[in-house]
Amino acid sequence: MTDLRELERLEHVFWRAPSAHNTQPWVLRYGTDRVELRYDPDRALPTGDPTSRDLLLSLGALVEAVLIVASSVEIPIEFEPSVDLAAHAVGAFVHAGEQYRTPFTPDDLTRRRTSRLPYAPGRLDADDVAAASAEIPPETAIHELPTADLVELFRKADRHMYESPGVVGELRVWLRLNPRDPRYELDGLSYDCLALSRFEAFAVGLLLRPRVYPLVRSSGLHKQFSSAATALLEREGSALVLVGPADAPEQLVGHGRALHRVWLALTRRGLYTHPLSQIIDCPATERELSARLGVDDGLCPLSVFRVGRSEAPAESHRMR
């Protein structure tokens, strides 16, 4: 039976899993026949993500990445979820009777990127949506919307975010707006991944400084922060919304796995994605989006993201 500690040498591949603000919250503890998955509470976002939705989706994305990599080297494992948020525990990878069956490869994990660049005009075709929908379990659904339908929701949600001092403070911690930042090549949101010029990055950093931002907020200047992203949504394009039940944390970990598969399937079709999480982080816009989609009781939006073709975006950095 394979010593599961061998997986550690492949961290540089499965560490490419996506996470909110590129926080990479996962912690893996390797044993010969068990690899425990935990998370670092210092890499959670308790103010911006009070329900831990984004945290658990990110951890689920890491689970899927580990299973894909293990399958590629013929190490048969499975994941047993057992979430205990108080103990920062998520579950464990253990030996399985057969290899995890997946169409995806480590190369797919590497090619998947978030693109905040302008996308080529045009909606997704039916085959694109079908490829995404094929990767989700029966209790979930994917809705396709024109990006223009989300403009006002995004504008409201983005302003709500920038009008929340705690959320702005949390964001400030994870921004990497200067290449001289000691963590620039490790984690967080680098200015090139945010599709900012050097000047724009300097301006954003200046305006978000703790002593400056109260003046920015009181003057209403923060409303300009969402203008660039709003302009991208006004172009002809598609957004996808993943909807499903969220009654238990283990469900959210499972949804994170499915969401990662969706993004990988879209990557294979030459498409990039760009999360618009603000819309479901703001209670008012989350309710409005649910009403527009006609979401049934017991279900809720889990992820909103635009999808399209763009120039190759910058690659986000990883600690491994």
Side-chain angles (χ1 to χ4, degrees), residues 3 19 22 35 69 77 84 99 102 118 140 155 174 177 185 192 203 213 216 219 223 248 250 276 286 290 311:
D3 186 335
S19 57
N22 192 24
V35 180
V69 172
I77 59 171
D84 183 344
Q99 288 185 94
T102 175
T140 59
R155 183 177 288 119
W174 294 101
L177 300 176
E185 295 187 357
D192 47 352
Y213 190 72
V216 171
S219 67
K223 296 178 182 179
E250 287 81 4
L276 306 170
E286 189 272 343
S290 295
E311 295 180 4

Side-chain angles (χ1 to χ4, degrees), residues 178-201:
N178 189 323
R180 289 178 293 181
D181 186 316
R183 299 202 64 84
Y184 187 82
E185 295 187 357
L186 295 177
D187 56 16
L189 299 167
S190 62
Y191 80 89
D192 47 352
C193 286
L194 291 171
L196 299 174
S197 68
R198 290 284 187 99
F199 174 77
E200 289 169 332

Side-chain angles (χ1 to χ4, degrees), residues 206-222:
L206 175 64
L207 294 174
L208 290 182
R209 287 180 183 175
R211 293 185 178 181
V212 177
Y213 190 72
L215 299 175
V216 171
R217 185 180 170 202
S218 63
S219 67
L221 189 59
H222 64 289

Side-chain angles (χ1 to χ4, degrees), residues 257-272:
R257 292 182 58 183
L259 181 61
H260 199 178
R261 293 195 300 270
V262 167
W263 288 351
L264 293 173
L266 294 169
T267 296
R268 282 197 159 187
R269 300 181 68 82
L271 297 159
Y272 293 111

Side-chain angles (χ1 to χ4, degrees), residues 22 71 113 126 164 174 186 212 223 245 282 295 306 309 320:
N22 192 24
S71 178
R113 296 186 192 179
S164 304
W174 294 101
L186 295 177
V212 177
K223 296 178 182 179
C282 171
V295 173
R306 67 184 182 109
R309 290 175 170 81
R320 296 289 186 276

